[in-house]
Amino acid sequence: MLKIGPYSFNSRLLLGTGKFPDFDIQKEAVEKSETEILTFAVRRMNIFEPEQPNFLEKIDVNNYTLLPNTAGAKTAEEAVRIAKLAKASGLCDMIKVEVIGCDKTLLPDPIETLKASEMLLEEGFIVLPYTSDDVLLAKRLEGLGCHAIMPGASPIGTGLGIINPLNIRYIIEQSSVPVIVDAGIGVPSDAAKAMELGADGVLLNTAVSGANDPVKMAEAMKYGVLAGRASYEAGRIPKKFNAAASSPLEGMSIL
Ligand SMILES: CC(=O)[C@@H](O)[C@H](O)COP(=O)(O)O
């Protein structure tokens, strides 16, 4: 079970909803992924204009927990404004804090992310900040009371996978709240790697929406997350630098 604040989920895969070729493929991919949490940019939603086109229109949103995110915010104040808008429109009280500090790298602004998280916690939100893989910043965010920490594997949309597994491992080891590796996942083995490191979940979007076959990739990601989690729970063998026969012959007579 993935537990975030008062919420529990069976699936550990969180899926972004943007950039799909069309709404039918989006719907099918979401279903195949078996995700229970969908994230979307509040700014892209016509939340106060139900008659306008809705980019989740094909999805039965009652079957999912919607995780609004503050994409587009460049300051803490903007992020808080977006989060309040989401709450006012009746969306879930969970918020993914995304305050981008650089248009080229799309890396999160650490200071504004920290500020926004603090302000949103004071407002009673369930706060999930998207952060870099900075170990000390992750600790500071947890110290504020954030309900989960979402370190990036690599910059959004790059599909480069986990650039710094050691930092992700440190963040996981020190954290007493769920760690969800977010952004930069390219293939299911990246998602599996995150889970093998001990992540509680993985959030991804582009790897599925941009795949040649998004529906098949959504299913593959589901298995990647499941395999990685099972491997983590099973406990891997230690890495060794000396070979050890898989079928030891000691004590056996050679024919
Ligand atoms: C959808 C969302 O929240 C993105 O900002 C997220 O970080 C996913 O990144 P990828 O598209 O690289 O998976």
Side-chain angles (χ1 to χ4, degrees):
M1 274 275 172
L2 168 62
K3 291 197 166 128
I4 305 172
Y7 303 107
S8 297
F9 306 95
N10 290 310
S11 168
R12 293 175 181 274
L13 173 60
L14 291 73
L15 200 61
T17 50
K19 300 190 289 193
F20 281 85
D22 63 51
F23 293 146
D24 290 309
I25 292 176
Q26 179 201 51
K27 174 181 188 289
E28 225 188 307
V30 164
E31 284 170 5
K32 275 280 186 229
S33 75
E34 290 183 20
T35 184
E36 293 171 288
I37 307 178
L38 295 174
T39 187
F40 62 91
V42 176
R43 283 196 160 178
R44 291 191 56 223
M45 250 189 138
N46 294 310
I47 43 188
F48 293 118
E49 297 162 278
E51 70 286 350
Q52 293 296 317
N54 167 5
F55 75 98
L56 295 179
E57 65 188 19
K58 292 267 166 109
I59 293 173
D60 183 353
V61 289
N62 297 317
N63 293 336
Y64 301 94
T65 295
L66 297 181
L67 173 62
N69 68 57
T70 64
K74 293 202 163 165
T75 65
E77 288 72 22
E78 278 173 19
V80 171
R81 210 173 315 125
I82 293 170
K84 284 184 172 171
L85 201 64
K87 203 174 196 175
S89 68
L91 292 169
C92 182
D93 59 352
M94 285 205 294
I95 188 84
K96 174 180 153 179
V97 177
E98 188 171 317
V99 187
I100 297 302
C102 167
D103 288 336
K104 182 171 185 294
T105 62
L106 297 181
L107 287 171
D109 183 320
I111 304 196
E112 296 301 310
T113 300
L114 198 77
K115 259 169 65 183
S117 298
E118 189 165 24
M119 290 157 84
L120 289 164
L121 285 163
E122 273 166 22
E123 296 278 343
F125 282 87
I126 308 291
V127 178
L128 295 78
Y130 163 60
T131 170
S132 63
D133 60 11
D134 185 299
V135 182
L136 298 180
L137 177 60
K139 194 71 197 153
R140 290 283 301 272
L141 288 163
E142 185 190 348
L144 286 179
C146 288
H147 300 81
I149 309 295
M150 306 182 87
S154 48
I156 295 172
T158 60
L160 290 172
I162 303 179
I163 283 180
N164 194 337
L166 187 60
N167 274 14
I168 297 290
R169 180 185 289 277
Y170 286 151
I171 290 172
I172 291 166
E173 278 173 1
Q174 74 181 5
S175 184
S176 58
V177 295
V179 174
I180 297 166
V181 172
D182 175 7
I185 297 293
V187 284
S189 56
D190 297 332
K193 175 79 185 167
M195 299 306 292
E196 285 177 354
L197 287 170
D200 297 278
V202 170
L203 190 155
L204 57 92
N205 189 150
T206 310
V208 167
S209 63
N212 289 340
D213 184 339
V215 177
K216 194 167 249 183
M217 186 58 87
E219 189 176 26
M221 287 296 182
K222 174 186 82 176
Y223 290 125
V225 169
L226 286 173
R229 180 66 188 183
S231 165
Y232 172 72
E233 287 173 358
R236 60 152 300 147
I237 59 165
K239 289 186 182 175
K240 299 188 207 102
F241 293 97
N242 295 319
S246 316
S247 308
L249 296 176
E250 286 102 65
M252 295 184 74
S253 59
I254 306 292
L255 297 177

